[in-house]
Amino acid sequence: MRRWRNRPDTGTRDGVPVSPVTPPKDRAPGPGRATTARTTRPARRVRRVRRALTALVVTAAVVAGTAGWAAGSGQVPVTGPPPGSAAWVGDTSLGRALPDPASATPRQVAAFFRTLTPTQQRALAHRHPAVVGNLDGAPLALRYEANEAALRHDARFAHLAGRGRQILAFDPRGRGQVAEVYGDLARSRRVAVVVPGSDIDAGTYDRPTDPDGTPAGMAKRLRAATRGTAVIAWAGYTTPVGVGLDAATGGLAEAGAPRLVRFADGLAALGVPAPAVFCHSYGSVVCGLAAPRLNARDLVVLGSPGVRAGNAAELHTGARVWAAKDPSDWISDVPNVQFLGLGHGTDPAAPEFGARPVPATDAHGHTGYFAPGTESLRAFAAIAQGDVR
């Protein structure tokens, strides 16, 4: 078992030596410098407000996720049950009610499918592929089959079908959402989930030109670095586009967090081991909000602008909390503030946050954490495999 410990203060910041600063000695007020608590306190408040406003302007300008520097545009999050749910609820072919996707828990869904024969299960998947393919708690193989059928009838995303792909979720609404499994999820003793940041949807989550910056690429890198761990690329929420208020605020994360929680509950309902969840950039905001209810063994945030918590204890999770940030990641330029809905709070990689540090000194930029040969990927693999404590 490997163990990483918090490193003592070495007098460096992001690998750059920092010279100690000796505070100036107190000086007695001279002519024109007489001060009182009554006059200095308002001045200090003004300076603090100015600094906060400056930080917020910078936050709104630079907080973004995986890629993209175009002006951000407001996104309407996809929420609620899968498309086609009304027809599913109205289906009386079995002579009894089907579980309502809007209210049934994943455990209830799993229990319902256990009462059906394989023929009955496949008949439902054939009639309602959009529902079965996204129904957390439904059998894994049945969801793969249903999503294969749904994708083949969708001109925008038909390229995701076939070639032995295991699509665990596919929702064509909006920009499209998708989750894909790498490995044998039904039999793996260890499982990991990758949650991406901005500019990711069903059309961009597996860009072959950016293998280290997409959830599919990250999942493939992690799968290759582990011994039999099943890895899921989960692009299951509406992400921000480019740089803008969506990336600097928590609205999309608040809509995405319950979807991540339900997705993980669906895995648990089928007996899948609690996963290690790797949350990149804005995806860490989603994970931070989901943390109190998220069924996870480990929570790893990387390149994070903040997780909407002041420290690891405020996440209220039983999962081990890890954080990675490489010295060249531009996310360090994002002010770690949270004020009037803007910003995402304390830097999770800062020692005072209290997360377990993940070494990442040789990763490059904002999307280099899963690059082959990096110490961050080796650390992620060890966490995914349960080889650290």
Side-chain angles (χ1 to χ4, degrees):
M1 299 286 283
R2 303 179 186 177
R3 177 178 296 179
W4 293 303
R5 300 180 183 275
N6 289 316
R7 290 171 288 189
D9 185 5
T10 59
T12 64
R13 182 177 297 140
D14 290 335
V16 179
V18 178
S19 301
V21 178
T22 303
K25 296 180 180 179
D26 293 335
R27 294 182 292 178
R33 291 196 291 115
T35 59
T36 65
R38 183 174 299 175
T39 59
T40 58
R41 287 175 184 169
R44 290 172 181 169
R45 282 198 293 270
V46 169
R47 287 195 296 270
R48 285 198 296 269
V49 170
R50 286 176 178 171
R51 285 196 297 268
L53 290 175
T54 300
L56 289 172
V57 171
V58 177
T59 299
V62 301
V63 173
T66 302
W69 290 89
S73 58
Q75 299 293 303
V76 178
V78 170
T79 58
S85 292
W88 163 273
V89 172
D91 190 328
T92 59
S93 60
L94 294 180
R96 54 180 170 135
L98 306 184
D100 187 344
S103 58
T105 68
R107 288 191 179 279
Q108 290 171 332
V109 171
F112 166 77
F113 275 97
R114 284 196 293 268
T115 68
L116 305 181
T117 66
T119 299
Q120 290 173 322
Q121 291 182 3
R122 296 193 69 184
L124 286 177
H126 177 76
R127 286 197 298 274
H128 309 282
V131 174
V132 175
N134 292 285
L135 199 55
D136 295 308
L140 298 175
L142 194 66
R143 290 180 67 173
Y144 298 155
E145 184 177 342
N147 285 317
E148 173 78 9
L151 283 164
R152 290 191 180 280
H153 291 87
D154 192 300
R156 286 193 302 165
F157 305 115
H159 65 281
L160 297 177
R163 294 175 293 171
R165 302 183 77 157
Q166 300 176 123
I167 304 298
L168 187 57
F170 166 63
D171 190 331
R173 292 177 295 176
R175 289 154 43 212
Q177 300 179 3
V178 64
E180 185 169 6
V181 176
Y182 299 89
D184 190 343
L185 185 58
R187 293 183 174 84
S188 292
R189 297 179 58 190
R190 299 291 185 183
V191 175
V193 176
V194 175
V195 180
S198 297
D199 297 305
I200 296 297
D201 51 45
T204 62
Y205 94 106
D206 65 344
R207 295 187 301 264
T209 56
D210 187 19
D212 298 326
T214 61
M218 295 175 186
K220 292 174 186 176
R221 300 291 201 203
L222 186 58
R223 166 73 176 166
T226 59
R227 300 185 300 274
T229 298
V231 185
I232 305 169
W234 184 81
Y237 77 104
T238 303
T239 68
V241 172
V243 179
L245 285 179
D246 279 345
T249 57
L252 294 181
E254 290 168 0
R259 297 177 73 84
L260 178 59
V261 169
R262 184 177 177 86
F263 178 79
D265 286 347
L267 299 179
L270 298 174
V272 174
V277 183
F278 295 82
C279 315
H280 181 239
S281 198
Y282 190 85
S284 66
V285 186
V286 177
C287 291
L289 294 174
R293 297 171 291 134
L294 183 63
N295 179 53
R297 172 173 51 86
D298 290 275
L299 194 63
V300 187
V301 299
L302 48 140
S304 172
V307 293
R308 298 258 155 169
N311 54 56
E314 290 183 5
L315 291 173
H316 302 293
T317 177
R320 298 181 298 182
V321 180
W322 307 80
K325 185 170 69 174
D326 74 68
S328 64
D329 191 337
W330 58 257
I331 205 74
S332 295
D333 296 330
V334 174
N336 291 109
V337 297
Q338 189 174 353
F339 183 69
L340 297 179
L342 282 173
H344 304 301
T346 305
D347 179 2
E352 60 267 23
F353 187 83
R356 302 175 183 221
V358 175
T361 57
D362 60 350
H364 179 69
H366 190 54
T367 60
Y369 295 92
F370 287 86
T374 55
E375 58 183 353
S376 52
L377 179 58
R378 287 192 292 270
F380 293 162
I383 294 168
Q385 294 172 154
D387 288 345
V388 291
R389 57 186 174 88

